[in-house]
Amino acid sequence: MHDVAALAGVGLSTVSRVVNGDVKVSPAKTLAVENAIRELGYRRNDSARHLRTGAAASIGLLIESIADPFFSLISQAVEEVALSRDSLLLSASSHQDAARARRMVLAFCSRRVDGLIITPSEDQSIDYLRTELTAGVAMVFIDRPVPGLDVDTVLTDNVGGAMSGVEHLIAHGHRRIACITDRAGLYTSSHRIRGYRNALAAAGIPFDPALVYSADDTTDTLAGPLTSMLDAENPPTALFTANNRSTIGALRVMGGRHNRPALVGFDDFELADALSPGVTVVAQDPLAMGRMAAELLFRRLDRDTSPPQTITLGTRLITRGSGEQRP
Amino acid sequence: MHDVAALAGVGLSTVSRVVNGDVKVSPAKTLAVENAIRELGYRRNDSARHLRTGAAASIGLLIESIADPFFSLISQAVEEVALSRDSLLLSASSHQDAARARRMVLAFCSRRVDGLIITPSEDQSIDYLRTELTAGVAMVFIDRPVPGLDVDTVLTDNVGGAMSGVEHLIAHGHRRIACITDRAGLYTSSHRIRGYRNALAAAGIPFDPALVYSADDTTDTLAGPLTSMLDAENPPTALFTANNRSTIGALRVMGGRHNRPALVGFDDFELADALSPGVTVVAQDPLAMGRMAAELLFRRLDRDTSPPQTITLGTRLITRGSGEQRP
DNA sequence: TTGAAAGCGCTAACAG
DNA sequence: CTGTTAGCGCTTTCAA
């Protein structure tokens, strides 16, 4: 910048003004500066700019795993909003590791990002979040709330969505409906299980704990338990899989079986329509979730001080055949 | 930091030393500083640190689309390597938009990231990349090379992979094999088409242009052309789909048809094994690509000045049934 | 072992 | 309209 000013024969501030598109610069000097910039291959150092202005023009996104389509769609939506606001995206995956989540959030904060969008981990203290929050860092939670922290949050209607899926099965004559989830303690799983139970209760179907299976790592461990459930004396005639990975895991297990039970899965996935029968799902809208979270965040960065809000997005039942099979 | 120093009754440099784990600080002062830090909720400003030291501790990743599983796996691998090097990841998607790609790369450069991993756009000048390169920015290209720029690059063996897929079809008795791609001009597509032609030639099968279809946007436009190709007088008995999206598009189109042709797709995808028949694919290894690109980059950041290298990763034919169907 | 001071590249008063 | 100047928060000689 110093060199540019020297070459153009102007002061530092004139260079700064030209770079930032300030109008009050004479055309002659503007031109001289632009030429010098081109000549020297100058590019503004945003790090220094950030230090001076306090605006990082970047936000941090912490999700569970970028390899999960649900989260990569959220990520895409956040990126679009950030782009439209000339903000860059720092992103990280926690992989359900609370220590890692903490580390990444603190790293973002050290960078002084303008704000944070976080899928909170559930298995550890979130004191550090409270610290940052009181330090004035803008934050939006997505997919799960954090108990005790009153912060903007974007959620899916897990209970209602699960209910609609299970009701669909019940409407098609099923009364023995199994529920497959990953870790039952997780926010989304527990809410979807609640929706499942609500739907059963509303239909006067007794809850049978033997029909609920929760795993730590669905992909690896689902095969055994699910097989024995299906081979049991009084097997379920339908399955409600409470998340993406459970649905796909169940499809794998059932691939080799005849007499497959009906299936409704929570969360849509690619090729759900190309399987036969097509897989009926309770679809979330990850793009909308990401977009709303980002918009909420930028609204805060624009000094909106209204009370924190929680947005709950509805789900959509997409019927493709697998849930319509009668027992 | 100033406040911390005051509260602890030490100088600025002592605070700096404690924060950075410098050993030459007396235990008493170390303790005092640590307490002050905790009390004040101090956190080092990495932006200022960056300005002073010149090390951003972050890298930029530009891919085509984070919503594409191929790229999200690359992204995941890059993130892991970055994490292990205490580096943050700035990420952006170009969506095949050269102007957007340019904008994001320049934004990364303005942030003075330590290095860049880029899936280059093919449809516009890359002069700006040359500029940054000569300015000394470390760079690795992934998935496609940039003609005229001698830079570290990680590629898939597109020609060899496509050949192996088509050879598989030929080995199962097919002689009329269609090739479906997205834009034929793209680097990967053109190489895979070359592999397709090589395999035909090696088997003495004449090349029929009527059996090659290239689209701009596979998902939307594949249905019509593919249907008419399959309904033509002398239809193909097998399909080679040269990328992920073409494979999935073709599966959708063929879903409603009886007498489906055999199929081999380039690039693996989730549930390829759950369809019936399972979809035989030429699998790439996006995780390895991302890992190698990131390792290459960090090696450069560690001042490795050996000549730029191009790493070409082999493919793996995964047979699941769809390619083994005889005509 | 410690502190004072210079300065990374930039912006924003402020004075002209 | 333009240049000078004072920092933003940090690290790093350099002396003490």
Side-chain angles (χ1 to χ4, degrees), chain B:
Chain B
M1 183 162 174
H2 178 263
D3 297 345
V4 171
L7 182 59
V10 301
L12 252 28
S13 31
T14 299
V15 177
S16 176
R17 289 184 185 109
V18 171
V19 169
N20 294 303
D22 191 324
V23 279
K24 302 143 176 266
V25 179
S26 72
K29 298 215 171 194
T30 302
L31 197 67
V33 170
E34 282 169 348
N35 285 333
I37 286 177
R38 205 163 317 119
E39 181 124 359
L40 269 39
Y42 166 80
R43 181 145 301 134
R44 180 176 68 194
N45 183 328
D46 278 345
S47 215
R49 167 169 233 262
H50 174 198
L51 178 60
R52 184 60 227 242
T53 63
S58 59
I59 63 175
L61 173 67
L62 179 75
I63 55 180
E64 211 158 86
S65 167
I66 193 61
D68 181 325
F70 174 71
F71 290 107
S72 63
L73 285 172
I74 286 178
S75 186
Q76 162 161 298
V78 170
E79 190 192 324
E80 293 311 311
V81 178
L83 180 73
S84 76
R85 301 285 304 236
D86 282 314
S87 195
L88 284 185
L89 189 63
L90 280 157
S91 62
S93 302
S94 67
H95 296 291
Q96 312 234 45
D97 175 344
R100 179 165 168 170
R102 178 170 189 278
R103 175 180 169 188
M104 302 320 292
V105 167
L106 294 185
F108 288 158
C109 291
S110 269
R111 299 297 163 104
R112 300 293 193 273
V113 293
D114 295 321
L116 249 26
I117 296 177
I118 301 180
T119 304
S121 307
E122 319 193 43
D123 43 355
Q124 198 181 288
S125 104
I126 39 71
D127 284 351
Y128 69 96
L129 286 180
R130 183 173 281 116
T131 307
E132 297 305 326
L133 228 32
T134 55
V137 179
M139 227 176 264
V140 176
F141 296 136
I142 192 164
D143 197 40
R144 304 191 273 265
V146 176
L149 292 186
D150 190 23
V151 173
D152 290 323
T153 306
V154 177
L155 305 172
T156 289
D157 177 11
N158 291 293
V159 175
M163 279 186 69
S164 72
V166 176
E167 281 164 357
H168 175 75
L169 290 168
I170 294 171
H172 285 270
H174 296 281
R175 293 186 63 84
R176 284 194 64 73
I177 304 171
C179 180
I180 315 289
T181 75
D182 53 2
R183 290 191 283 170
L186 297 180
Y187 174 82
T188 51
S189 297
S190 64
H191 278 242
R192 291 170 194 173
I193 291 175
R194 189 185 308 162
Y196 160 80
R197 296 190 62 162
N198 285 358
L200 294 185
I205 301 174
F207 171 67
D208 180 354
L211 291 182
V212 175
Y213 174 73
S214 304
D216 258 291
D217 186 336
T218 305
T219 332
D220 290 340
T221 61
L222 187 53
L226 181 55
T227 302
S228 54
M229 190 189 271
L230 295 178
D231 290 337
E233 208 166 327
N234 191 6
T237 63
L239 255 47
F240 172 65
T241 46
N243 64 34
N244 216 317
R245 295 212 315 270
S246 300
T247 306
I248 287 169
L251 284 169
R252 288 235 163 73
V253 172
M254 299 196 305
R257 300 178 67 95
H258 49 279
N259 221 337
R260 290 159 56 155
L263 174 67
V264 169
F266 201 109
D267 200 13
D268 200 8
F269 58 96
E270 183 134 67
L271 288 178
D273 58 332
L275 293 160
S276 62
V279 180
T280 292
V281 299
V282 177
Q284 307 185 73
D285 191 345
L287 284 174
M289 291 177 76
R291 183 166 34 77
M292 306 205 81
E295 281 168 358
L296 227 39
L297 181 63
F298 280 111
R299 207 169 303 155
R300 295 302 176 187
L301 298 181
D302 290 341
R303 318 227 164 295
D304 172 359
T305 55
S306 56
Q309 54 180 301
T310 294
I311 298 178
T312 303
L313 273 71
T315 59
R316 194 163 56 93
L317 184 74
I318 304 179
T319 55
R320 297 194 177 107
S322 71
E324 291 84 312
Q325 305 171 133
R326 290 187 167 259

Side-chain angles (χ1 to χ4, degrees), chain A residues 1 4-5 10-27 29-31 33-34 37 42 44 49:
Chain A
M1 183 162 175
V4 171
V10 301
L12 252 27
S13 35
T14 299
V15 177
S16 177
R17 289 185 185 108
V18 171
V19 169
N20 295 303
D22 191 325
V23 278
K24 301 143 178 264
V25 178
S26 72
K29 298 215 171 191
T30 302
L31 197 67
V33 170
E34 282 169 348
I37 286 176
Y42 167 78
R44 180 176 68 194
R49 166 169 233 262

Side-chain angles (χ1 to χ4, degrees), chain A residues 229-247:
Chain A
M229 189 190 273
L230 295 177
D231 290 337
E233 210 166 324
N234 191 5
T237 63
L239 254 46
F240 172 66
T241 46
N243 63 35
N244 216 317
R245 295 212 316 271
S246 300
T247 307

